[in-house]
Amino acid sequence: NNYLELLSMQIQSDESRQHLGSIKTEVSRMSKILLQLKDEQAEGITDQAQVDINDLVGRMIEIFKLTLFRLKRIECEVRLDPSMQNINTDQDKLKQILTNLIKNAAEALQDRGKIQIRTRSLVKINQQDYIEISIADNGPGLPSAIIDHMFSPVETTKGSEHAGLGLTIVGKLVKEL
């Protein structure tokens, strides 16, 4: 955050300052989530608010289109359920879940891969209403040895620049939500 603040003082363009503001917001969001993951007493504490799921997914896709999707020439097909209503949830946690899953999908794809993202409202499970957010890709899939414990910390198959915690964080945040 300190480096971002220094950088923002040197940048003249309003557009660049806006991008830096977005980065600062994301760094703060991630810091808060990491502190909550570290502090077991904070587990289950959420900042609940009404969230427009389709809008959130759309904004996330736009960020990835400008970065990882463009870099790897990934095609993204999005199908958002027009009947989706706002839901009461923790937007930061949901955003982190989506970030980890979309990033995992994009990183697993070869150049010119395809990702499909879909929302669906009013999904019934055991007579309870849920929403569904589906993220699928045409990549190689996970090795069967990893599938059995994909939400546990594992040694990553992506190389030393990855910690192997993305799906662990997803699993924990989904349970909290």
Side-chain angles (χ1 to χ4, degrees), residues 11-147:
I11 290 182
Q12 304 300 317
S13 157
D14 286 340
E15 183 180 359
S16 295
R17 283 187 182 182
Q18 186 177 8
H19 288 305
L20 275 177
S22 296
I23 293 169
K24 286 172 72 173
T25 299
E26 292 303 305
V27 168
S28 294
R29 179 184 60 77
M30 193 58 215
S31 295
K32 185 172 115 184
I33 288 172
L34 288 173
L35 287 172
Q36 287 176 348
L37 289 172
K38 184 180 137 191
D39 183 5
E40 290 186 24
Q41 292 178 340
E43 188 172 313
I45 296 173
T46 60
D47 292 330
Q48 299 275 320
Q50 289 291 307
V51 176
D52 181 334
I53 299 298
N54 286 344
D55 180 64
L56 177 65
V57 169
R59 286 185 286 129
M60 299 289 299
I61 297 306
E62 289 307 311
I63 291 169
F64 279 101
K65 279 183 180 177
L66 296 171
T67 57
L68 198 52
F69 291 176
R70 179 181 285 171
L71 181 68
K72 294 184 82 174
R73 295 183 285 193
I74 292 171
E75 178 187 339
C76 185
E77 177 187 313
V78 180
R79 287 186 283 148
L80 303 176
D81 185 342
S83 68
M84 179 75 71
Q85 296 182 0
N86 292 357
I87 64 165
N88 196 35
T89 191
D90 185 319
Q91 178 172 289
D92 288 342
K93 289 181 180 179
L94 183 56
K95 204 172 188 182
Q96 191 60 49
I97 291 166
L98 293 171
T99 297
N100 287 12
L101 293 175
I102 294 169
K103 191 170 181 276
N104 275 6
E107 288 174 346
L109 290 174
Q110 299 296 321
D111 205 31
R112 298 191 186 276
K114 184 175 182 177
I115 294 177
Q116 297 172 324
I117 300 173
R118 180 175 56 98
T119 62
R120 197 167 62 129
S121 66
L122 300 174
V123 176
K124 290 269 191 202
I125 301 173
N126 296 326
Q127 283 71 43
Q128 280 198 301
D129 289 335
Y130 290 89
I131 65 159
E132 177 181 81
I133 302 172
S134 171
I135 301 169
D137 64 71
N138 65 347
L142 291 171
S144 58
I146 291 177
I147 289 176

Side-chain angles (χ1 to χ4, degrees), residues 156-174:
T156 182
T157 58
K158 296 180 185 177
S160 62
E161 69 275 5
H162 296 274
L165 295 173
L167 291 178
T168 303
I169 292 169
V170 166
K172 185 167 178 51
L173 293 177
V174 166

